[in-house]
Amino acid sequence: MVCGNCGRVVKDGAKFCDYCGATVNAATAGAEQSGEQILGGAKRRGKGLVVGLGVAGVAVVAAGAILLVSLLGGAKGKVLKAAAKSAGEHAAVMDTFGVSTLREILEKQAYTQKIGLELEKLSVDDYSGNDYSIMKGLGADLVLASDLPGHKIGVNGMLRWGSVDLVEAYVTMEEGKIVAFCPELMDDTALGIDTETIGKDISEADWFEDFTGEDLDELEDLSFNIFDLIDITREVTPMDTAAQKELVNAIEVEKEGSDEVEVNGEDIKCAIYSVVIPEDALLDYLDALQEYVEESTKADEMADYLDSLDLDIDTDDFADEMESSYDEVFSTLEEAVKELGDLEFEVAVKGGLVMAVNGELEIDGETMEYSLQLGGGKEYVNDISLTMEVDGSAVVIESSGDHALKGGVYTDTTTIKADGEKLITLETEYDTKAKDDNFSFVMFNDEGRLTLEGTLAVSDGSFSMVFDELSFFDDYNEGISVSGEYTVKAYEKIKIPAEETFMLLTADEGDIEDLLEEIEDNAYDFGMYLGEECYELIEAIQYWS
C-alpha cells in the first residue's frame, strides 16, 4: 500500500504510516498518483554551489522533521508536506532496485553476505611483453554470516584459479568460543580457544608461560565475550524528536503567490513560497545531533566494559579520542552554517509536490546560485536537474528516463556538464520483468568507460547482483574486467568442515608440538602443490606487481 499523506510504501494492513505517522486508509492507500502530480523545479537561478548542497540537505532534514509533527496548517504545512510527499515518490523509485528489501534484511542484524570476484581480462601495457592472460580465472569468494542477536559470526574465504582451489579458511565465533580452520594446513582438525575461560586456561598452561617467559597468574580472572561489547554498540536508541520539532517550528514560510516557472523545459504554473531556516535554529539542531551521535557510539559504555577486564588499556584516551573526532566534524559543520547564515530560498509547489527549490548566498565574496528542478514531463519522477553557478561558471546535473517504469523497464541517462561541456555520462537500464541479464550500467567520458552488466534479483528476504562483467578500460583499452556476485540473504550458519576442534590453551605441550609439526609438513606439501599447479600464475603475478 501507499500512504495517502506522504506517498511512501507501507506494509499491507498497516493502520499508520511508519514514515509520517498518518492514518492509512486502506480504501485509498495504494491508489496510483494522478497525472497532476508532476515533479518540477522552477528555472529561477539560486545562488551557490555550496549553498545549493547545503539547502538541499536542510530541506531533507526539514522534510523528515515535519513527519513528526502531526498536521501543520498554513504555508509551512503545505511546503513541508510537499517535500515529504516528493521524497516518498523518489523513495518508491529506489525501491525498484530493492533498497527497502536490503534495508529490512540488514536491520534484523542476522544475515549472510557473499562477495565473489573472478578475473576475466587484464590488459596492461607495461612494455615488458608479458602475457597476463594466464591470470584469467583468478578469483576469490568471501562469505560473512552474522547473527548478532544470536551471538554468532562466521567467515569463510577462498582463493581459486579456474578449477584449482588455492586456499580456503574458516573462522567462527559463537559466544566466547572462537574456532579457526584451514583445510590445506590442518587436515581435519580445527583450532579453538574459549575467551570466557581464557585467563584460567592461560594461567594453568605451563607451556604458555614457558613460551612467553612471563608469570601469567595475574590473568587467571580474565574472562570476556566479544558479543557483550557488540551488544553495547548494536542497540541504537532513536533520536528524540524534540530537536527536530524545534527546527520545524523555527522555519519561516510565506506564500508569495503563483507564477509560471520552467521545469526541465516545461512551463508549469506553481504556488511560490519563500522559506527561511534561521542560522540559530540550525546551530541548535547541530548541537542536539552531536549529542545524540556521541551517545549512540556508546564510547563511555565500551570504556567501562574494557575497564572491567582489568587489562592494561587506557580507556580514557579511547573515549576522549572518539569525542574529539566528533567535535572536529561538528565544528566544521557549525563553521559552515555560520558562514552561510540564515538559509533563504524559494520553493515551487504544484499538485502537492515540490517542483523546484531555488536559492542564493554570498560566500567568500562570490554569489553562488542553484536551481533544483524536479519533473516537468508526464511522470513526476522521470526528470531531475540541478544547476549550480558561480561567477558565470555553471555545473549542471541532468537525469531523465523512464523512472516510473511505464514501459516496464527502468531507464536513466544522467549527464554532468561544466560550462556546457559534458564531463561524464551515466546510463542505467533495469528490466524488472526479466529474470536473467536484466541490468546494465555504464559510466563513461573521453578518458574511459566503467561497465556493469548482469542480473539483479530482489525477493522477499534476499538481494543479489550477479554480474557477467564489471570492467574499466581507458581510452587506450587498458584496464581490467571481472565477473562475480554480491548477495545478501537471511542468516545461514557457517559450519567448519573439521572432524574435531583442538582447544589450544587446554592442550598439553606434547600435543601442541605434534600439531605444529603437522602444520609445518602440510605447509611444505601445500607449497609444492602450488609450485606445480600454479607456476605460470605466480610468475605472472610477480611481474604484474
Side-chain angles (χ1 to χ4, degrees), residues 376-416:
K378 292 183 179 181
E379 300 297 332
Y380 175 69
V381 295
N382 280 357
D383 301 283
I384 306 171
S385 68
L386 176 63
T387 300
M388 298 169 284
E389 184 172 346
V390 180
D391 195 22
S393 179
V395 173
V396 180
I397 303 173
E398 296 177 323
S399 171
S400 63
D402 186 359
H403 302 168
L405 281 85
K406 289 301 181 181
V409 178
Y410 174 94
T411 60
D412 175 75
T413 299
T414 298
T415 59
I416 302 175

Side-chain angles (χ1 to χ4, degrees), residues 209-428:
E209 184 172 324
D210 294 339
F211 178 77
T212 61
E214 300 288 339
D215 183 1
L216 303 175
D217 289 342
E218 62 183 25
L219 296 177
E220 184 176 2
D221 295 329
L222 177 61
S223 173
F224 68 92
N225 183 334
I226 190 63
F227 289 99
D228 291 340
L229 192 60
I230 293 175
D231 285 343
I232 292 174
T233 60
R234 74 181 185 86
E235 296 295 339
V236 179
T237 304
M239 184 177 179
D240 186 358
T241 60
Q244 294 171 315
K245 290 180 180 179
E246 289 178 7
L247 177 60
V248 170
N249 290 334
I251 296 174
E252 302 168 12
V253 181
E254 183 177 345
K255 186 173 181 179
E256 300 292 342
S258 61
D259 198 359
E260 195 170 77
V261 295
E262 185 179 344
V263 181
N264 293 317
E266 297 291 331
D267 293 330
I268 299 177
K269 191 170 185 178
C270 300
I272 307 299
Y273 298 87
S274 62
V275 179
V276 178
I277 304 179
E279 173 188 338
D280 290 343
L282 278 173
L283 290 174
D284 289 342
Y285 181 77
L286 280 178
D287 288 341
L289 183 60
Q290 180 177 359
E291 182 178 348
Y292 168 71
V293 170
E294 290 177 351
E295 291 177 353
S296 298
T297 58
K298 309 290 184 68
D300 291 335
E301 289 90 335
M302 287 191 290
D304 290 342
Y305 179 79
L306 294 174
D307 282 338
S308 71
L309 301 180
D310 292 326
L311 296 174
D312 187 17
I313 300 176
D314 191 345
T315 55
D316 290 336
D317 283 349
F318 168 75
D320 290 344
E321 287 176 6
M322 292 191 68
E323 183 176 345
S324 177
S325 66
Y326 293 127
D327 284 342
E328 185 176 345
V329 171
F330 280 94
S331 292
T332 301
L333 292 175
E334 288 179 4
E335 289 175 8
V337 170
K338 291 176 181 178
E339 173 73 17
L340 296 173
D342 294 345
L343 297 181
E344 302 179 15
F345 50 96
E346 284 188 349
V347 178
V349 176
K350 172 72 173 180
L353 294 165
V354 173
M355 310 300 293
V357 179
N358 304 306
E360 63 177 45
L361 201 68
E362 294 289 330
I363 297 181
D364 293 334
E366 292 186 303
T367 300
M368 307 180 72
E369 304 178 348
Y370 69 90
S371 178
L372 173 66
Q373 302 179 15
L374 306 169
K378 292 183 179 181
E379 300 297 332
Y380 175 69
V381 295
N382 280 357
D383 301 283
I384 306 171
S385 68
L386 176 63
T387 300
M388 298 169 284
E389 184 172 346
V390 180
D391 195 22
S393 179
V395 173
V396 180
I397 303 173
E398 296 177 323
S399 171
S400 63
D402 186 359
H403 302 168
L405 281 85
K406 289 301 181 181
V409 178
Y410 174 94
T411 60
D412 175 75
T413 299
T414 298
T415 59
I416 302 175
K417 302 176 182 177
D419 297 331
E421 181 180 351
K422 190 179 296 184
L423 300 180
I424 195 166
T425 301
L426 302 90
E427 297 178 349
T428 306

Side-chain angles (χ1 to χ4, degrees), residues 13-39:
K15 295 182 179 180
F16 301 98
C17 176
D18 293 334
Y19 303 96
C20 68
T23 302
V24 178
N25 184 342
T28 59
E32 290 189 4
Q33 302 297 322
S34 68
E36 180 186 15
Q37 294 174 328
I38 300 174
L39 182 59

Side-chain angles (χ1 to χ4, degrees), residues 47-58:
K47 293 187 177 180
L49 174 60
V50 174
V51 179
L53 297 175
V55 172
V58 171

